[in-house]
Amino acid sequence: MVSSDRLQVVTSPVSEGKYALKATVKQGDDPINSSGNRNELVYLSNEKVGSEYWYRWKVMFPNDFPSVDAWQLFTQWHHDGCCGSPPVEFFVKGELIRLTLNDSGTVWSTPLKRGAWQEFIFHVKWSPDASVGYVELWHNGVQVLKKTKAMTMFSGQNNYLKLGLYRADTISPVGVVYHDGMIQATSREDVFPVVQPEPDPVVDAGTPADAGTPVDPVVDAGTPVDPVVDAGTPVDPEEEPVVDAGTPVDPGTGTGVKPSPLDEGNVELRGGCSTGGGSMAAFSLLGLLGLARARRRRS
């Protein structure tokens, strides 16, 4: 009503979706010729006696929002009669955000934070009877005011919503407030986000084993062989043991016979004994016999 730049739909900053409301007030903005300066949206919601609603909305105060010791309303539920302070009002005074009911004093406050979106969830039962009406409040996801019995409307009057900026006419700096995401609902689920349970973590257990035809594990044990034990020179068990009885005797003549040499190498046999004093002929003969038997067994 004052000027087209006082209430604007903007695309930045926004808290959700694509758009938000920018409400601007300059000293002297008095579109309805009343106390204070204002530029507000009005929603004739007409809450009835005994009705119960959940409201959720978001507000951001820019970094240059005025710091003054005077009231600056940003959300209010006003009565439809004439004059006086509304039953419910959210406002800034000094460096505090406050909530008052029926102009009876502050029921909740928090330090003003500029440059960040702040979420309000407000649960109300509307009644002029203080034993029936009540309010609850969540600020930035935390319940800051538990259910509090209160007179939330004036007798014989309905309430309606006003959103924007309304302040004392003594304030000279330009004031701006951003609003976004207003919801009026009849159930808690409509204003609180639904929390989805986190899925169970997926564990990679690797490639599953083939459960087809079971096979015994194959172990390479090499080529099996009979254990070789060095037991000396083998002897054919069918043979009688050979005993060196000295020089053999010719049974016809009874005289000793010199055996033919078995090894024409360096060993010279004399009298059945080697020059080294050992019975080489007997050992050589046993070795040959054993070698022959061993070869016959292997073939």
Side-chain angles (χ1 to χ4, degrees), residues 237-282:
E238 296 180 359
E239 295 287 339
E240 292 292 332
V242 178
V243 179
D244 184 6
T247 303
V249 178
D250 186 344
T253 61
T255 60
V257 179
K258 182 178 180 181
S260 300
L262 298 177
D263 186 358
E264 295 183 359
N266 295 329
V267 178
E268 181 181 359
L269 299 179
R270 290 189 177 93
C273 297
S274 68
T275 56
S279 180
M280 294 300 299

Side-chain angles (χ1 to χ4, degrees), residues 38-283:
R38 74 181 81 203
N39 287 299
E40 297 177 291
L41 294 178
V42 176
Y43 173 49
L44 298 177
S45 49
N46 293 322
E47 284 84 354
K48 305 296 184 183
V49 175
S51 62
E52 181 181 348
Y53 289 102
W54 294 81
Y55 304 88
R56 190 211 72 176
W57 73 104
K58 300 177 181 179
V59 180
M60 188 180 79
F61 302 92
N63 292 329
D64 59 356
F65 185 79
S67 178
V68 293
D69 189 21
W71 51 271
Q72 303 184 78
L73 273 72
F74 57 90
T75 305
Q76 61 172 314
W77 280 265
H78 203 283
H79 53 290
D80 58 7
C82 175
C83 309
S85 296
V88 177
E89 52 189 348
F90 286 83
F91 64 97
V92 175
K93 186 175 183 182
E95 289 297 307
L96 289 178
I97 297 175
R98 304 168 186 253
L99 166 63
T100 65
L101 303 175
N102 298 305
D103 201 24
S104 59
T106 300
V107 296
W108 170 79
S109 66
T110 189
L112 172 64
K113 184 177 182 180
R114 294 174 173 83
W117 286 99
Q118 301 182 60
E119 181 188 66
F120 298 88
I121 296 178
F122 190 46
H123 180 207
V124 188
K125 185 162 186 179
W126 298 107
S127 175
D129 186 344
S131 65
V132 176
Y134 59 79
V135 297
E136 289 182 283
L137 179 65
W138 285 258
H139 181 235
N140 295 333
V142 178
Q143 186 169 11
V144 293
L145 181 64
K146 294 185 177 181
K147 186 177 290 185
T148 301
K149 293 285 187 177
M151 185 175 68
T152 54
M153 61 195 312
F154 297 142
S155 180
Q157 301 185 47
N158 296 326
N159 291 344
Y160 62 93
L161 174 64
K162 301 182 80 172
L163 197 71
L165 181 58
Y166 170 39
R167 69 185 195 177
D169 56 13
T170 58
I171 302 173
S172 57
V174 175
V176 174
V177 176
Y178 295 92
H179 292 264
D180 200 357
M182 168 60 79
I183 296 173
Q184 176 178 343
T186 55
S187 67
R188 176 190 177 100
E189 290 74 21
D190 290 329
V191 296
F192 280 95
V194 177
V195 179
Q196 298 291 343
E198 294 185 1
D200 294 333
V202 178
V203 179
D204 183 2
T207 305
D210 184 2
T213 305
V215 296
D216 294 333
V218 178
V219 179
D220 184 5
T223 305
V225 294
D226 294 336
V228 178
V229 179
D230 185 4
T233 304
V235 179
D236 191 342
E238 296 180 359
E239 295 287 339
E240 292 292 332
V242 178
V243 179
D244 184 6
T247 303
V249 178
D250 186 344
T253 61
T255 60
V257 179
K258 182 178 180 181
S260 300
L262 298 177
D263 186 358
E264 295 183 359
N266 295 329
V267 178
E268 181 181 359
L269 299 179
R270 290 189 177 93
C273 297
S274 68
T275 56
S279 180
M280 294 300 299
F283 285 128

